[in-house]
Amino acid sequence: LGSKNGNGKNAEVGSTVGATVINLLKNMVGAGLLNVCIAFQYASVVGGLLVMLYSAFVCTAGFLLIGYCCSKTDAKTFRELWRQAMGAETEKIVDVVLFFHTFFSCVGYVTMIGDFCVKSAQGLMPGSVFAEQREASILTISVFAIFPLCLYKNLDSLKHTSVIGLAITALSCAYIFYDVVANAEEYEAVETLQSHFWYVKLDMFKTLALFNGSFSAHYNAPTYYAELKDKSFANYFKVTMYSFAIATLLFTTFGLAGFARFGDEVLGNVLKSYSPDDPMVQISWLCMMVSTVFNFPHAFQRMRSSFNALLNKKPEDSFMVTTIALLALSVYVGVAFKDIAVIKMIKGATLGVSIMFIFPALFFLNLNEPIQMRRKCSGDVNDPNSKVRRQRRGTLLRVLSVVMMLTGF
């Protein structure tokens, strides 16, 4: 990757660690934040916290394993990584899984955009077509806002919209936090948390699926690594730890605040639980709609690439036709779905676990021996202490890989 600077010299092109953290956070937090509240109803406060910590751990581990394997194989896409780890004869499997995983992500975004647009328009523009017809709202936003963003061809181009989207999400979250704290006595927020402090239900598995779906950005992990200006696992590690730590904190605090506010009345999309009569809620709905629009291209780019890979085409082949067709399909299915939590659970419990847990573990286990062989070129191969450290690290990662695969299944 290179370009000419003002002096005619090659200038390195790519994303900084900070820009990549922003893009990754936007990939996770934008849509995943709003359905974590209902997870605490399924699992209780303590149960939800335990499941959240476990989900954060294994999701972070999966993301790191993907980057680690990319750093050792120079793979820039999931397909390249699969080819080197599993063989070219089965690489279509990952294309199919990636396509449907990102397709359901796009469908979920469309569903949320429709909900937010109608809800906000009912208060801000009562009687308008946007307040009365969900389909018209989705179609208008898709044509004039989503479609132009989908024409970008790399994630780094979206860093500015990611910053705006994160700022908008932060404002909406700040309002919900303020509403819960300022009116805690009226809402009986403390009593709600106490009465739901601990219990065990089978619905706890729904909580794990929801949290896994919220952390899901693994389909873009090779792209995040490939687009780093200074490609190294050390920088990728920083990006991963910063992003997942911030996301875990946001998911936990926001989820508890939203659940404390509504209790058993909380909906899959927590903002739909609010009354439309509050002007601040109407503005929050509008802001989250804009944020979701900015989040849509992150999943769409990967869906488009996976679709072309299935047809044995290059990522940018038939670019305009493919973009229009896939966007139209996402919009059509998104209009049919009404509950974002249902979409997230389906995706998290099926396709998500493959990409986040099973595939990274398989990649590492299959690549571990070749990676160890390559390390024989290093100067410390005969150092007994170094050999012990490598063996311990390899054993730990193999155990982690097995745990991740069991979680996925």
Side-chain angles (χ1 to χ4, degrees):
L1 296 175
S3 63
K4 297 289 185 180
N5 60 18
N7 298 322
K9 298 179 180 179
N10 283 334
E12 193 175 10
V13 177
S15 296
T16 63
V17 170
T20 308
V21 168
I22 290 172
N23 274 331
L24 179 52
L25 275 173
K26 188 69 193 74
N27 205 163
M28 291 188 291
V29 173
L33 194 64
L34 299 173
N35 52 62
V36 295
C37 302
I38 197 170
F40 288 95
Q41 180 195 35
Y42 294 149
S44 78
V45 173
V46 174
L49 289 174
L50 293 175
V51 175
M52 170 64 78
L53 291 175
Y54 179 76
S55 178
F57 173 74
V58 292
C59 290
T60 303
F63 204 86
L64 285 172
L65 277 182
I66 295 171
Y68 178 76
C69 292
C70 286
S71 70
K72 297 301 179 182
T73 61
D74 296 322
K76 295 179 176 61
T77 65
F78 241 109
R79 193 183 200 191
E80 288 181 20
L81 190 55
W82 181 283
R83 186 184 300 123
Q84 296 198 46
M86 311 299 293
E89 61 276 5
T90 58
E91 64 186 13
K92 290 291 184 182
I93 294 175
V94 73
D95 293 328
V96 171
V97 173
L98 280 172
F99 173 76
F100 282 104
H101 179 76
T102 49
F103 171 69
F104 277 112
S105 294
C106 291
V107 168
Y109 294 148
V110 171
T111 300
M112 293 173 63
I113 289 167
D115 291 341
F116 289 140
C117 186
V118 171
K119 285 283 191 178
S120 60
Q122 286 174 350
L124 301 175
M125 296 182 290
S128 67
V129 65
F130 299 110
E132 303 294 335
Q133 297 185 23
R134 181 171 176 268
E135 295 81 3
S137 302
I138 292 175
L139 183 61
T140 301
I141 294 169
S142 298
V143 172
F144 294 104
I146 296 178
F147 176 66
L149 290 173
C150 289
L151 297 179
Y152 285 108
K153 296 181 180 180
N154 61 72
L155 294 175
D156 188 54
S157 302
L158 300 170
K159 61 186 177 184
H160 300 299
T161 58
S162 294
V163 172
I164 297 172
L166 282 174
I168 290 172
T169 302
L171 289 174
S172 298
C173 292
Y175 170 73
I176 292 180
F177 284 130
Y178 168 78
D179 180 51
V180 173
V181 173
N183 303 288
E185 186 174 347
E186 177 185 348
Y187 299 147
E188 297 182 346
V190 176
E191 289 79 0
T192 297
L193 295 178
Q194 289 176 340
S195 62
H196 295 78
F197 190 72
W198 171 250
Y199 47 76
V200 177
K201 296 181 178 178
L202 288 177
D203 285 346
M204 187 174 289
F205 292 103
K206 294 182 182 179
T207 297
L208 183 59
L210 278 172
F211 288 158
N212 290 345
S214 295
F215 281 115
S216 176
H218 296 58
Y219 54 87
N220 269 330
T223 304
Y224 286 126
Y225 179 81
E227 292 188 0
L228 279 171
K229 182 181 294 184
D230 182 9
K231 279 180 277 296
S232 67
F233 182 68
N235 282 336
Y236 183 88
F237 181 85
K238 293 177 185 177
V239 168
T240 303
M241 298 308 294
Y242 291 153
S243 301
F244 277 82
I246 294 171
T248 301
L249 180 63
L250 286 174
F251 289 150
T252 303
T253 53
F254 184 85
L256 287 172
F259 179 61
R261 167 66 176 83
F262 294 106
D264 291 327
E265 302 300 319
V266 67
L267 298 178
N269 181 343
V270 67
L271 287 181
K272 291 176 67 175
S273 304
Y274 281 91
S275 168
D277 299 329
D278 187 342
M280 282 301 299
V281 171
Q282 296 162 8
I283 294 174
S284 294
W285 283 331
L286 179 63
C287 288
M288 288 305 300
M289 182 200 72
V290 175
S291 177
T292 307
V293 168
F294 288 154
N295 202 45
F296 187 93
H298 289 268
F300 188 85
Q301 283 186 12
R302 181 53 48 212
M303 176 174 66
R304 182 172 54 206
S305 297
S306 299
F307 180 78
N308 280 339
L310 281 171
L311 301 180
N312 294 318
K313 295 181 178 180
K314 295 180 179 179
E316 296 180 7
D317 285 353
S318 305
F319 183 80
M320 188 61 68
V321 173
T322 303
T323 298
I324 294 173
L326 292 178
L327 180 58
L329 179 63
S330 300
V331 169
Y332 176 80
V333 180
V335 168
F337 275 98
K338 299 294 176 66
D339 191 348
I340 179 64
V342 173
I343 300 173
K344 295 295 289 252
M345 282 189 289
I346 293 173
K347 185 183 74 170
T350 55
L351 303 169
V353 295
S354 298
I355 297 172
M356 299 166 71
F357 307 136
I358 298 174
F359 289 175
L362 287 174
F363 294 160
F364 176 79
L365 292 173
N366 281 332
L367 288 171
N368 186 50
E369 290 304 321
I371 289 173
Q372 293 296 328
M373 292 296 293
R374 287 176 58 182
R375 284 180 178 168
K376 289 184 178 180
C377 297
S378 62
D380 65 350
V381 68
N382 294 318
D383 181 357
N385 293 329
S386 177
K387 184 177 181 180
V388 170
R389 287 195 299 270
R390 290 199 306 273
Q391 289 176 341
R392 288 176 178 173
R393 183 165 58 244
T395 301
L396 177 62
L397 289 173
R398 283 191 290 271
V399 171
L400 177 60
S401 297
V402 173
V403 171
M404 290 168 56
M405 290 183 69
L406 291 175
T407 301
F409 288 117

